[in-house]
Amino acid sequence: MLTLRKHVLPSVLAVLVLSATACTSESAAGSRPNFLPEEVTSSPGRGATSTDPGIAAPRLGPASAVDARTVLEAFKGRGMVEHMEALQRVADENDGNRASGTSGYEDSARYVEEQLRAAGYTPVRQEFTHRPDGERVKTFNILADTEGSAENIIVVGAHLDSVENGPGINDNASGVAAVLETARWMKETGISPANRVRFAFWGAEEDDLDGSRHYVDELSAAEVRRTAVYLNVDMAASPNGVRSIHDGDGSDFEEAGPKGSQEIEDVLFRFFEGNSLPAETTPFDGGSDYEPFLRAGIPGGGLFTGDVESKTKAQMQAYGGVAGKNLDSCYHKACDTISNTNADLLKEMSAALAYATATYAMAPRG
């Protein structure tokens, strides 16, 4: 069950200061910046990392150049719904789905690449082979980088594929739309990132997270160290949904992310609090593309609006909707179409992703 939670950051976090820190990973020894507020400590993650609690942690405070209310206002008029409509058309033209290795996935990828190129990015395909039903199938991830220091890489991802028996519009054309508009918004507003942002559109998530697993497996030890955080968005427009953030420190659920994951949770809660919007935590349950990053010791977090869980009375009071009904009754079904989405919720979740992305992207090194 999701737990309603109001999360307040310490008022002392008023200055944006970032400095390099050191940590040791079982998978890759060396130093990596740790984006963690100074007065917040997170529980050790279940992934392959450990950190020295005596090392001074850098800080991200609310006095950054990113204003939560301004970002939300900007995203109220952005084109997330148009992206979902375009991916719905792709599915309609390709046997009703956009699964990895199919023509529907290829056409989905071309749409994403066209949008990225039009915004000024240079997308690349990272090819890999996966085995749905034991058959070797070639597919790919799409990656596009901003400018900024490669010493601190912020990966922002959503899976592009659908299940085979549906168009996958909430799951996960909604997440794709959020990532695309975050990328476009950063270009259009002239944000000059100090740290590099890598926008990722994963293939074969519906086949055991194969795309994100391949990406992480291909990272060198140095690249793992330089990956500061991973932000994930998987289902951002559930029709009876909630605003939920992954529980980075495990304080509400048993699973915690690597050190630094709590800070991601804090940044996302700060966005919703700044806009007087209720939000809650959701567990790291291994069910999305954050999992390979967490296992590699990379701090992770992100956004989720819900699937098969039933909405509680408390959630109905907080978010509206219908108590006792699934957050998404069409999860992994043919009815996961454009009509199975909540456009207002998508605007809020997309703005939250953009806020967190820009906050990390512009965090200066001390």
Side-chain angles (χ1 to χ4, degrees), residues 110-331:
R110 289 178 181 172
Y111 175 80
V112 167
E113 290 165 336
E114 288 169 1
Q115 292 294 312
L116 290 169
R117 290 191 187 102
Y121 293 94
T122 305
V124 297
R125 293 188 178 190
Q126 182 189 39
E127 297 183 348
F128 63 95
T129 301
H130 69 122
R131 293 176 176 269
D133 302 321
E135 179 184 359
R136 291 175 63 87
V137 176
K138 291 183 178 180
T139 190
F140 53 89
N141 301 318
I142 299 172
L143 308 173
D145 286 5
T146 67
E147 297 178 352
S149 173
E151 291 302 308
N152 300 307
I153 298 175
I154 294 89
V155 182
V156 182
H159 74 86
L160 180 57
D161 62 318
S162 74
V163 292
E164 293 183 355
N165 62 334
I169 303 305
N170 185 36
D171 183 20
N172 185 39
S174 65
V176 170
V179 175
L180 268 179
E181 279 306 299
T182 295
R184 286 161 52 93
W185 169 76
M186 286 186 66
K187 285 285 189 179
E188 291 170 13
T189 53
I191 291 173
S192 181
N195 308 299
R196 183 167 302 176
V197 179
R198 176 163 296 155
F199 296 105
F201 302 85
W202 308 119
E205 188 270 355
E206 300 291 2
D207 296 309
D208 200 28
L209 317 178
D210 283 353
S212 54
R213 289 185 194 280
H214 176 79
Y215 174 85
V216 173
D217 287 347
E218 290 295 301
L219 295 176
S220 67
E223 289 168 331
V224 169
R225 293 193 298 270
R226 290 196 294 266
T227 304
V229 295
Y230 174 62
L231 304 176
N232 190 67
V233 56
D234 190 350
M235 304 179 65
S238 303
N240 194 37
V242 299
R243 303 179 198 97
S244 66
I245 298 165
H246 288 293
D247 181 20
D249 63 352
S251 59
D252 296 322
F253 301 94
E254 293 182 359
E255 291 289 335
K259 188 175 181 181
S261 301
Q262 178 179 350
E263 194 274 340
I264 300 171
E265 178 188 344
D266 292 338
V267 168
L268 289 166
F269 266 111
R270 191 164 70 227
F271 169 82
F272 290 115
E273 288 160 4
N275 285 290
S276 300
L277 295 171
E280 60 188 75
T281 51
T282 190
F284 284 128
D285 61 6
S288 193
D289 291 302
Y290 54 75
E291 182 67 11
F293 290 87
L294 302 186
R295 289 189 177 278
I298 296 168
L303 299 158
F304 177 59
T305 55
D307 47 34
V308 298
E309 299 91 349
S310 294
K311 177 166 278 187
T312 66
K313 289 183 179 179
Q315 289 172 326
M316 180 190 69
Q317 292 170 353
Y319 309 106
V322 181
K325 182 180 178 181
N326 289 0
L327 302 179
D328 182 357
S329 299
C330 288
Y331 174 66

